[in-house]
Amino acid sequence: MSQQKRVGLTALGAVLSPLEGSGPRTEAVVQRLSAAISLGVMVDGQQLPSETVLADQLGVSTMTLREALAVLRQQGIVHTKRGRGGGSFIHGSAGVLEDTSLTRLQRMSIRELRDLGDEHFAITGTAVVFATRRGLPEDMERLRGLIDRLRESVDRVSARRIDSRFYIEMAVCAQSTRLTRAEVGLQVELSDLLWLPQLALVPAYEAVAHHDLMDAIEGEDDARARELAQSHIEARIRRLVALRLELRDR
């Protein structure tokens, strides 16, 4: 395992990095912050940085940030306190992703699902390889901790968040801001589908798969790690495709 100096990358740091591309900036800020909240990168009660600092981190104007915060307040995701000890705080993150995932799945084609699986493997498979080469002991400890939490999880929402956080932290372990942001976006799009009640994923079984992956990473076997990641991702996508076909035949 490489012992190079940590570059300071964190999941939250990647999420709050400057926006890229064109398009409506207010909407992009809303999507970025909503993603962080829905996946548990930012949690209930957590205070956001000041408007000036957060706008600077995201590379937008203060006015754009205020407009985005207003939208998030309307959605009940953020609340703002005035006066001493005030600021904007995360609120109601458990309801960020509404239970519309089954309807969304019904609207997706089999090709779209398979493309999503291909993207999952392209991003995660690459992150796994770099995590094997660049990960530090503290990274491994953090990932092992998430596996323990997943194994002990007793509800679907928390299991989904922990599972998603595992993949995001894997990209952090790879020390790549772009991979981390890509993984966050992927998990927002995919995780609520994978953890639909109809698929009946068992947190303890998913934890075993992550445990085997971690063994390969800590053993510095990047080929084996990539193979395990691919196998696990393919198995999940097959189950998702099977559910989509079942819904079509009803």
Side-chain angles (χ1 to χ4, degrees):
M1 198 76 62
S2 170
Q3 295 300 309
Q4 62 191 17
K5 185 177 180 180
R6 162 62 67 213
V7 297
L9 179 63
T10 65
L12 183 59
V15 168
L16 298 184
S17 60
L19 298 174
E20 297 178 336
S22 56
R25 307 296 276 177
T26 299
E27 181 181 346
V29 172
V30 170
Q31 291 176 346
R32 181 75 73 82
L33 294 178
S34 295
I37 296 166
S38 69
L39 296 174
V41 175
M42 304 175 77
V43 299
D44 282 333
Q46 181 174 343
Q47 183 173 5
L48 294 172
S50 70
E51 291 181 352
T52 302
V53 171
L54 187 54
D56 184 62
Q57 288 176 321
L58 292 169
V60 299
S61 69
T62 304
M63 181 61 70
T64 295
L65 179 68
R66 287 174 179 167
E67 292 172 351
L69 291 176
V71 173
L72 293 170
R73 279 194 293 271
Q74 291 174 353
Q75 295 175 349
I77 296 172
V78 166
H79 74 282
T80 300
K81 296 180 182 179
R82 302 299 178 186
R84 178 173 296 185
S88 293
F89 298 81
I90 305 303
H91 175 68
S93 60
V96 172
L97 289 180
E98 297 179 359
D99 192 17
T100 58
S101 305
L102 196 61
T103 300
R104 184 162 70 89
L105 177 61
Q106 290 176 303
R107 293 173 178 169
M108 296 179 72
S109 67
I110 301 302
R111 174 176 290 182
E112 287 174 320
L113 286 174
R114 288 175 175 158
D115 281 349
L116 194 53
D118 291 344
E119 182 182 2
H120 190 0
F121 177 65
I123 293 170
T124 305
T126 302
V128 163
V129 169
F130 286 128
T132 303
R133 299 173 183 176
R134 300 172 179 172
L136 300 176
E138 53 265 36
D139 297 320
M140 304 301 109
E141 182 178 356
R142 187 169 63 254
L143 288 165
R144 290 285 188 186
L146 288 169
I147 293 173
D148 290 340
R149 288 173 55 196
L150 180 60
R151 184 184 299 110
E152 298 166 0
S153 179
V154 295
D155 68 271
R156 184 173 59 90
V157 173
S158 64
R160 175 183 64 79
R161 286 182 175 175
I162 295 167
D163 183 63
S164 295
R165 187 64 184 267
F166 177 84
Y167 284 108
I168 293 168
E169 291 291 350
M170 186 69 68
V172 170
C173 182
Q175 300 188 29
S176 170
T177 299
R178 287 180 177 272
L179 276 178
T180 303
R181 285 204 304 260
E183 189 69 64
V184 168
L186 178 64
Q187 290 301 320
V188 168
E189 187 173 5
L190 186 60
S191 66
D192 58 323
L193 296 177
L194 291 174
W195 286 91
L196 279 166
Q198 291 83 353
L199 289 184
L201 290 185
V202 178
Y205 292 166
E206 299 305 305
V208 169
H210 292 340
H211 174 81
D212 292 342
L213 176 59
M214 286 303 302
D215 284 347
I217 290 172
E218 291 186 301
E220 301 185 19
D221 188 344
D222 55 9
R224 175 62 175 161
R226 186 177 176 88
E227 178 185 352
L228 286 170
Q230 180 176 17
S231 177
H232 191 212
I233 290 167
E234 287 180 343
R236 286 181 163 193
I237 296 299
R238 281 197 300 270
R239 293 178 69 172
L240 196 55
V241 168
L243 175 59
R244 176 65 183 84
L245 292 172
E246 179 184 333
L247 293 171
R248 185 186 65 183
D249 295 338
R250 285 180 183 175

